[in-house]
Amino acid sequence: SPLASNTIAQQRPAHGSEAVINEISAGLLASDAYTSPKFLYDSLGSKLFEAICELPEYYPTRTEASIFAAYGADMAHAIGEGASLIDLGAGNCAKAASLFPLLKPAQYVPVDISRDFLLGAVAQLQQRFPQIEMTALGLDFSSGFELPDSVRGERRVFFYPGSSIGNFSPEQAVTFLRGLRANAGADGGLLIGVDLIKDRAVLDAAYDDALGVTGAFNLNMLRHLNHLIGADFDVDQWQHVAFFNPEKSRIEMHLEARCPLTVTWRGGERDFSRGERIHTEDSYKYTRQSFVTLLEKAGFATSRMWTDKNNWFAVIHARA
Ligand code: AVI
């Protein structure tokens, strides 16, 4: 396979490792139970997220794609050819691939916690773009990570589309972006997509679609937890809840117990009453100005910003 020599398949999520069990247990045992949204992404979760991106209600993907289509050449001009493009949360790699013909990166470094899904996508992509050196990293980058020596390009440009930055709290986002800046090097930068505050009904529908795909995506986390920590969640006993919280400027996703129940897992147990929730994800929404301020707090200098005609989504190039 073209991938065999240049794929770094490291830090495969250790199913049932002490660290994973401890992390998940701590959240499930908290008075307001929570889990990290990174556990939404096992192989099925990644496929469900792909399906979400095709839903009519889920405007971020197509809105961002329309911005890439309209301004890709401008973005390539701002970034310059021959960079090492480090794609955070690359998933199926489709967004970065759509920019390759304009951006002409020398190296492509997709990073994703959903390792097997990523490796499948990169194997196909390498055949389409044999001239680009590809180094896939199957790891969890959410709490920072070291770039391996093989990412040696002088100009390291982080690509963080899809408003995934919104899944961090603003404080966590600043810390995370500071880490990227430190890794980008003096000539490096960041091309980032961010979802903007808009009409509440549009936001609510995007996270609670008519087909129930987002509900399946959320509920699938329980299957993933069963696998990771040997839990006995019964998916039928839970329901998807998602809404915009205007005070916190975020979509909140929860799983709500439909009946009184007990969950046990390796090393833990908890009773849930009917209506009790596990908070599974936040998706923060910004104004253009509030996001520029956040980038500045992280030490980035904003070079350009592109938006769609409704101002629903923004793509920003920032210099390190
Ligand atoms: C990956 N992330 C930016 C998505 C979002 O919109 O926050 C995840 C998602 N959750 C529900 N639908 C999509």
Side-chain angles (χ1 to χ4, degrees):
S1 125
L3 264 179
S5 59
N6 60 4
T7 296
I8 302 178
Q10 61 189 35
Q11 291 186 17
R12 179 171 202 158
H15 304 302
S17 80
E18 280 302 302
V20 168
I21 294 179
N22 290 343
E23 178 182 353
I24 297 171
S25 282
L28 291 179
L29 293 172
S31 52
D32 292 324
Y34 66 89
T35 51
S36 165
K38 70 187 177 196
F39 297 119
L40 290 164
Y41 301 94
D42 61 353
S43 271
L44 179 57
S46 296
K47 287 183 187 124
L48 288 166
F49 180 63
E50 262 189 316
I52 286 173
C53 293
E54 294 192 18
L55 293 171
E57 293 96 332
Y58 194 72
Y59 62 84
T61 311
R62 65 169 185 279
T63 308
E64 185 183 51
S66 77
I67 299 171
F68 286 144
Y71 303 110
D74 258 17
M75 293 174 195
H77 185 70
I79 291 167
E81 289 181 13
S84 286
L85 190 69
I86 304 149
D87 187 355
L88 300 173
N92 63 14
C93 307
K95 289 180 188 178
S98 76
L99 289 174
F100 284 172
L102 292 165
L103 214 53
K104 300 187 176 63
Q107 189 180 28
Y108 176 56
V109 185
V111 189
D112 204 290
I113 190 172
S114 194
R115 174 184 170 276
D116 295 341
F117 186 82
L118 176 68
L119 295 187
V122 180
Q124 289 184 13
L125 200 62
Q126 183 74 84
Q127 286 178 353
R128 277 177 57 206
F129 298 96
Q131 72 284 12
I132 302 175
E133 183 190 332
M134 297 192 185
T135 303
L137 302 180
L139 55 82
D140 170 20
F141 60 84
S142 60
S143 44
F145 71 107
E146 287 289 313
L147 283 174
D149 291 343
S150 53
V151 185
R152 57 191 169 278
E154 298 268 297
R155 230 156 9 90
R156 294 184 289 276
V157 176
F158 287 96
F159 181 52
Y160 202 29
S163 202
S164 293
I165 193 71
N167 297 134
F168 289 114
S169 72
E171 298 72 30
Q172 290 169 332
V174 169
T175 306
F176 178 74
L177 291 169
R178 274 200 191 119
L180 295 189
R181 190 175 158 262
N183 269 295
D187 288 336
L190 169 70
L191 186 66
I192 188 165
V194 63
D195 197 13
L196 302 174
I197 296 170
K198 60 187 62 62
D199 188 78
R200 190 171 174 165
V202 176
L203 287 167
D204 284 341
Y207 291 82
D208 198 5
D209 59 283
L211 272 179
V213 182
T214 309
F217 172 67
N218 196 9
L219 286 160
N220 177 61
M221 186 195 270
L222 299 177
R223 297 175 66 253
H224 192 202
L225 295 185
N226 285 348
H227 175 65
L228 285 173
I229 64 165
D232 61 356
F233 280 105
D234 177 351
V235 171
D236 285 339
Q237 294 181 319
W238 296 84
Q239 67 188 5
H240 168 68
V241 176
F243 54 86
F244 185 62
N245 175 337
E247 282 81 45
K248 300 207 160 144
S249 193
R250 70 187 191 195
I251 287 280
E252 293 183 13
M253 240 175 37
H254 302 259
L255 289 165
E256 184 175 294
R258 297 155 68 104
C259 56
L261 58 94
T262 303
V263 182
T264 60
W265 62 93
R266 226 170 281 146
E269 176 177 300
R270 175 168 182 161
D271 296 330
F272 287 89
S273 49
R274 183 167 173 268
E276 204 172 346
R277 292 174 178 174
I278 303 173
H279 192 158
T280 51
E281 187 185 57
D282 288 319
S283 192
Y284 282 83
K285 309 301 170 189
Y286 290 91
T287 63
R288 291 189 293 178
Q289 188 50 53
S290 66
F291 196 73
V292 167
T293 304
L294 191 119
L295 282 169
E296 285 168 355
K297 272 193 197 156
F300 279 103
T302 305
S303 106
R304 294 285 305 273
M305 180 187 294
W306 301 271
T307 60
D308 59 293
K309 63 177 186 319
N310 297 318
N311 275 313
W312 276 8
F313 201 94
V315 176
I316 298 171
H317 176 246
R319 294 190 198 286

